[in-house]
Amino acid sequence: MELYFWLAACGTLAGVTTVLFGFGGGFVVVPLLYQALTHLRGPEAQTASHAMQIAVATSTCVMIFGSAMATAKHQRAGSLDWTAIKPLLVSIAIGSALGAATAVAVQGNWLRWAFVVYVGLTIVDCWLRPGFLSQPAQAARPARARTAWVGVAIGWVAALLGVGGSVMTVPLLRRRGASMTGATAMASPLSLPVALAGTATYVVLSWGGMTNLGRGYVGYVDLRAFLALVSGSYVGIRLATPYIGRIPDQVHARVYVGLLIAVEVSMLLG
């Protein structure tokens, strides 16, 4: 029981980062659940060998709630640009289904190191490549065909690693001239198709072989952890909503990178 109180408390942090930085479902929940399943429950537990798949699948399910609620908050705040969002929605959903299917098929340890490598590359890209830490001039939007392929790639990576679309969409939109408030706001509705398509795929493909995990699981989704995290996320989203658009742009960008570094360290130590 103590574990689920801890998950709810950390879910509050996930809710705050979902609203203010466009991520939280994955970059907070995946390392947290991975640590809980491998250390707090012990390596001999049946869940330990599937720890990364459970963490990713549960994270993707939590994103349904977090991204939907954050989208509603940003819509009320007037920070969403639907002309930039709509062309990506369908292709991201397709990529998410492919990413979830890939995650089910690979070994959990491989998935963990893929997460570590991807977050590391994102940190280096945001820090060193021009256009993220300071806002660039507005650039032209990519052609629709290219946008569709970008959406598939975003969805595949997001569902494969359980991180939502923010880690790719925020830098992409940032370099196309969006402020951090605008870029992180648009990450929320773009994470919703990832969450819906990814969760459905995880449940369908893992349902038959997961009976050995015990009660409280639907495929790889840990329902008790899901409820604890959603409860905490609700509180975090409510707490963070008044600060939408109030963080200075460059501070916002630097804190975003700092949070990614904290996640990377957590997974490396695990």
Side-chain angles (χ1 to χ4, degrees), residues 38-261:
T38 56
H39 295 296
L40 297 182
R41 290 181 177 175
E44 71 283 353
Q46 291 179 328
T47 53
S49 60
H50 300 287
M52 197 63 191
Q53 280 93 343
I54 293 170
V56 169
T58 305
S59 165
T60 305
C61 194
V62 170
M63 275 192 285
I64 296 175
F65 172 83
S67 58
M69 188 172 177
T71 298
K73 297 292 184 183
H74 282 293
Q75 178 66 23
R76 293 192 191 101
S79 52
L80 293 177
D81 178 5
W82 286 101
T83 61
I85 295 168
K86 289 179 181 179
L88 290 166
L89 291 175
V90 174
S91 57
I92 282 179
I94 294 170
S96 300
L98 296 174
T102 305
V104 170
V106 302
Q107 294 183 353
N109 195 51
W110 183 93
L111 205 56
R112 176 200 171 198
W113 284 108
F115 186 100
V116 169
V117 169
Y118 186 78
V119 174
L121 291 174
T122 302
I123 292 168
V124 172
D125 179 69
C126 290
W127 193 269
L128 297 181
R129 192 155 66 100
F132 185 85
L133 292 179
S134 59
Q135 185 178 359
Q138 181 68 40
R141 299 186 186 278
R144 183 171 294 274
R146 182 183 171 190
T147 299
W149 283 110
V150 168
V152 171
I154 291 170
W156 184 80
V157 171
L160 175 67
L161 304 181
V163 297
S166 65
V167 71
M168 296 180 75
T169 57
V170 170
L172 173 68
L173 294 168
R174 179 74 169 160
R175 292 193 172 93
R176 288 171 57 191
S179 66
M180 279 298 296
T181 296
T184 55
M186 287 185 279
S188 295
L190 290 174
S191 291
L192 192 54
V194 172
L196 292 170
T199 298
T201 304
Y202 278 121
V203 170
V204 169
L205 294 183
S206 62
W207 190 289
M210 291 298 103
T211 54
N212 62 326
L213 293 182
R215 292 185 300 175
Y217 286 86
V218 176
Y220 280 121
V221 177
D222 184 333
L223 293 178
R224 289 166 294 189
F226 167 78
L227 291 174
L229 288 161
V230 163
S231 299
S233 294
Y234 176 80
V235 174
I237 290 171
R238 292 293 298 270
L239 290 173
T241 298
Y243 297 97
I244 293 175
R246 295 188 177 183
I247 304 174
D249 191 73
Q250 290 196 13
V251 173
H252 204 168
R254 290 177 184 277
V255 174
Y256 181 95
V257 176
L259 288 171
L260 291 183
I261 293 172

